[in-house]
Amino acid sequence: MMRRYFQCLADRDAPAALRLCTELVEAGRSPVDVLLDVVAPAQHEVGRRWAAGEWTVAHEHAATAISESVAIALGARIPQPDPARGHVVLACAEREWHGLPARLVGFALQEAGWRTTFLGASTPPTQFARFLDDADADAVAISCSVAAALPAARRMIDASRETGLPVLVGGGAFGRDDTRAKALGATAWAPDARAAVRALESIAPPPAGPSVNRRAGIDEHAELVLRFAEFRDSARRRWAAVIGEDAATPLADDALDHALHSLSAALLTDDSRLLREADEWLSELYSARGGPSCAVPALWSALRAVVGEPLPEASRHLGLLRQVGRSAPRLI
């Protein structure tokens, strides 16, 4: 069924997509099951096609718009809980523009008896904090799929803790376990929407006090943010010395930003796996789009050469890349 739905997205046939999902619900499947077992996997395939260079950004946006409209239509079929188990405010961290996963979590929570308020994509932390002051919420859920948004997620977690609310987090940027969630002060982490329902049932209000222990990486994260443009320019020059004009393309711009943001997030969470994930993603991206095979390892080497002296923790994280997996022989 997911394949049929994905074909509707590929054909940009919104009526057919909605009709297919509606028929599944009318045949007895719950709206949440259709959203999580049909719509969500199809969206994952949409992202894979874009990353492989098979679809343009415009194609991806068109497909996502269809899935969002389908999600809203099916969500309207989920009864509002009366009485509700509590009120959950859901938001995407600032710079996180993928709002559909958080919306699906919200519908799963609603089906489980929670009243939900979804604030949408890329919610500024200051505006989020002001909203919590008047929201009468019982818990907060924060979605983050890109490493560049983790610093903003941390500020949202802090704002939630200051109001005494437990914080549930999820999304690809948090990885495959609760390591990063704990490092940023979240109460709980969930890998998917169904797990989010179970996690919310068990979390308690967070303890008082600062959410993040003071570490060298925290200070280096702050310095990297302040000197981002400087490090970016220096790394580009070193990178260009290896791969030439290929360092001046839009793909190279995106790769350089992604690598720096991943390094920043690794410092913030003390989790070097963020760099490993970035390395794998960038390598697949360059391979799919015909980029030079030396581009990604040369990028990491350039970054380490630039940040190594002023940011020793950053250099340590980058050094770990050569100790595991397929990145090992490529870095210096």
Side-chain angles (χ1 to χ4, degrees):
M1 197 58 66
M2 186 280 285
R3 294 179 183 275
R4 287 179 57 193
Y5 179 79
F6 176 78
Q7 191 58 50
C8 295
L9 299 184
D11 295 338
R12 296 183 287 284
D13 191 342
L18 179 58
R19 184 167 56 251
L20 173 63
C21 292
T22 300
E23 289 173 354
L24 289 173
V25 173
E26 291 177 347
R29 297 189 64 176
S30 77
V32 169
D33 283 345
V34 174
L35 290 172
L36 299 185
D37 298 334
V38 178
V39 176
Q43 278 301 123
H44 180 77
E45 177 63 15
V46 168
R48 190 200 67 78
R49 298 269 177 126
W50 172 83
E54 299 173 20
W55 282 20
T56 66
V57 171
H59 282 92
E60 184 268 331
H61 284 185
T64 300
I66 293 173
S67 288
E68 287 177 340
S69 65
V70 168
I72 292 171
L74 295 191
R77 292 172 171 258
I78 303 171
Q80 290 293 333
D82 184 22
R85 303 173 64 175
H87 178 206
V88 183
V89 174
L90 301 101
C92 297
E94 191 171 30
R95 304 186 69 168
E96 173 56 76
W97 294 101
H98 301 88
L100 184 58
R103 190 185 293 277
L104 298 188
V105 170
F107 288 140
L109 292 175
Q110 182 179 325
E111 183 185 63
W114 298 87
R115 181 166 69 91
T116 62
T117 299
F118 177 47
L119 302 185
S122 191
T123 305
T126 53
Q127 299 299 316
F128 174 76
R130 291 177 60 184
F131 182 85
L132 290 183
D133 288 340
D134 303 318
D136 191 27
D138 297 292
V140 169
I142 299 171
S143 175
C144 184
S145 68
V146 293
L150 283 176
R154 174 196 170 188
R155 295 194 294 275
M156 297 171 78
I157 291 169
D158 287 344
S160 303
R161 288 170 57 92
E162 288 175 3
T163 63
L165 296 176
V167 188
L168 173 66
V169 299
F174 285 101
R176 298 174 182 174
D177 57 37
D178 64 357
T179 300
R180 297 168 202 168
K182 288 182 176 178
L184 298 186
T187 315
W189 163 85
D192 55 50
R194 291 187 174 100
V197 173
R198 295 191 296 271
L200 193 61
E201 293 174 350
S202 61
I203 59 179
S211 63
V212 181
N213 293 328
R214 205 69 205 167
R215 295 181 280 100
I218 298 294
D219 296 327
E220 289 194 14
H221 161 74
E223 184 170 355
L224 178 56
V225 171
L226 289 173
R227 301 175 62 184
F228 190 92
E230 173 193 342
F231 288 140
R232 189 180 192 275
D233 291 343
S234 297
R236 181 188 291 282
R237 287 194 294 271
R238 287 180 174 271
W239 194 25
V242 177
I243 67 172
E245 293 182 358
D246 287 302
T249 65
L251 177 59
D253 288 339
D254 291 343
L256 186 53
D257 283 345
H258 187 74
L260 274 166
H261 284 307
S262 296
L263 177 57
S264 175
L267 290 169
L268 188 64
T269 62
D270 195 29
D271 190 346
S272 297
R273 291 175 299 175
L274 277 155
L275 297 178
R276 182 77 186 134
E277 293 161 11
D279 177 66
E280 292 174 351
W281 187 78
L282 290 173
S283 297
E284 291 172 2
L285 196 63
Y286 263 83
S287 176
R289 306 198 178 189
S293 60
C294 67
V296 177
L299 171 57
W300 294 121
S301 295
L303 278 180
R304 193 177 187 196
V306 167
V307 306
E309 183 175 349
L311 304 179
E313 272 296 293
S315 180
R316 180 182 69 81
H317 281 294
L318 288 166
L320 292 174
L321 268 175
R322 63 180 177 177
Q323 298 176 18
V324 292
R326 60 189 180 86
S327 293
R330 304 189 309 176
L331 299 179
I332 60 174

